[in-house]
Every structure is written in C-alpha cells, then in structure tokens.
Amino acid sequence: MKNTVETFKLSKNTSQRLTMLTAYDFSTAKLIDECGINGILVGDSLGMVALGYENTLSVTMNDMLHHTKAVKRGVSNSLLVADMPFMSYQTSTYDAIKNAGRLIQKGGADAIKLEGGSIVKDKVKAIVNSQIPVMGHIGLTPQSINVFGGFKVQGKTTECAEQLIKDALSLEEAGAFAIVLECIPSKLAKIITEKLSIPTIGIGAGNSCDGQILVYQDMLNMVSNFKPKFVKTYSNVGDIMKSSFKQYINEVNAQIFPNDSNSFSIDEEALTKLY
Ligand code: KIV
C-alpha cells in the first residue's frame, strides 16, 4: 500500500511508529522500499555521504533533482520526500514555491522538506497553499551550521527549548504534515511531540517521537570516521564492501575470476575458421 501524507497524519496517537531512511540512488531506494518503510527522504545529506562535501551547503537544486529522479524510479510504496537545498527557499517566497514545485514536477517527489521554524512559516504556508505537502525540520538544522558554530545538540537551555516549541507550533499552524526533530534532548522531543497534532520524526531526539529517520550510510557503517551518538550500527556494510573489493582485486590478479561459469563460449567450428 502506498504511503501518503495521510498515512503519516493518521499514525499520530496510534501505537504505529513511522519509519524513514534516506536514499540517493535507484538501487538503494528499491531495497529500502521493498522492506516496507513508510518514507524515503532524498536528504541534502547527499552532499556529505554521496558527494563528499564537508557539509550540506554546497548542494544545489540540480543535485537534488538528479538524485530525486533516480530514487523515484526505485520507489513503489514509500512516501518520497525531497529536501530543499540551501538557498532554494531562503531567498524569497517565490523561489520557495518555484523550487518546491520543481522537486514535485520534475523530481517526482510526493512532498518536500525544508529547515527552520517560525522564520520559514510564511514560506511553508505558501508552499502548502500551492498544494505541495511540507515536512518541517527543526533542532540541529545542518544548513545553519555557520550560525550554530558546528554540528551541536540544540534546545539545551530553557530559552532555546522554548523557541523550538514555538517553532514546532508555527510549522504545524503553517500546514506542515510532519516535523523532523534533529539532535535535541529526548525530554524536549517528548514535550514537542505531545503538543503537536502532526507526527514528529526524530533523529537524535530519543524514543518518544512518532517516527524515526536515519541516514542509511550511517546505520550501515559505510562512512568511516563518522559515528554520531544517535546512530546505531545495524551492520558493518562498509567492511563487507571493502573485503569484497579486495577479494575481487586478488582474484583478478590470480586469474581466479572470471572462470568458465562467468564466460561465454563460441562454437568450435566457428573458432577453427579464425586460425
Ligand atoms: O538531509 C538529511 O538526510 C536530513 C535527515 C538527517 C533528517 O535532513
């Protein structure tokens, strides 16, 4: 069954947790979708885990469109959410609607996600009024790292926590169908989750959110030297890939691969005529 924004909204106040992972290409999206996940996010984290940038600030609309289209081809039942990259919506409400529309029309996304709370309220409202579902994102919003002074847990002081509660309520009022809570204390995430009538999707926000999201390369330990506290390693796919690559290199060098079962034959008579 296709997951829609209604699936997300209806899950609120049920025991059903929403599950989301990121994906950036066709084959990974297909594998994740086949497992029955509720939503796939083409996150601008692609800048870091797929394109090798230090942060998400260099990701462009063209990058997002390219990867959203690829993911779309692998998705059957998950809700496909595409991130709006840095400077694709901050500049004006017109840009926000226009670029959100491109992710839906050209990329094939079902919904878009953008970062920020009260300061993006008007833009969220305008995009929603254009009939495009919006997922909000507050807490540690990576597009603001230069303002935060790095990747830091947010909402640890009363003032900052109060602001995040206001931000969440603003996004709900603007018409967002769900909100990602990133890297905030679990007890604050619980308060926000209880105050909202739309689902919260946590990443580094504890166990009380209505759903969870992770970057798939993080949970599969594919990016060495990066292991935030909120990530659980489900398998060491990075090590499995490296050992397979090494075995391939060794077998090619030792002429073990390819063998007869990996090769094509030619009729002996046709072969004789070549000599
Ligand atoms: O870009 C991304 O992958 C995200 C998730 C971490 C929520 O925004």
Side-chain angles (χ1 to χ4, degrees), residues 22 24 41 43-45 83 113 115 137 180 182 203 213 215:
T22 62
Y24 316 96
L41 170 71
D44 62 354
S45 51
D83 247 344
K113 175 170 84 57
E115 297 181 7
H137 182 169
V180 169
E182 179 164 355
I203 172 163
I213 183 164
V215 170

Side-chain angles (χ1 to χ4, degrees), residues 20-24 41-49 56 64 83 113 115 135-137 140-143 180-182 201-203 213-216 218 230:
M20 290 190 76
L21 281 169
T22 62
Y24 316 96
L41 170 71
V42 186
D44 62 354
S45 51
L46 94 88
M48 297 170 80
V49 293
T56 61
M64 289 309 304
D83 247 344
K113 175 170 84 57
E115 297 181 7
M135 179 177 273
H137 182 169
L140 170 50
T141 43
Q143 291 176 19
V180 169
L181 305 180
E182 179 164 355
I201 313 291
I203 172 163
I213 183 164
L214 281 178
V215 170
Y216 87 84
D218 293 348
F230 60 82

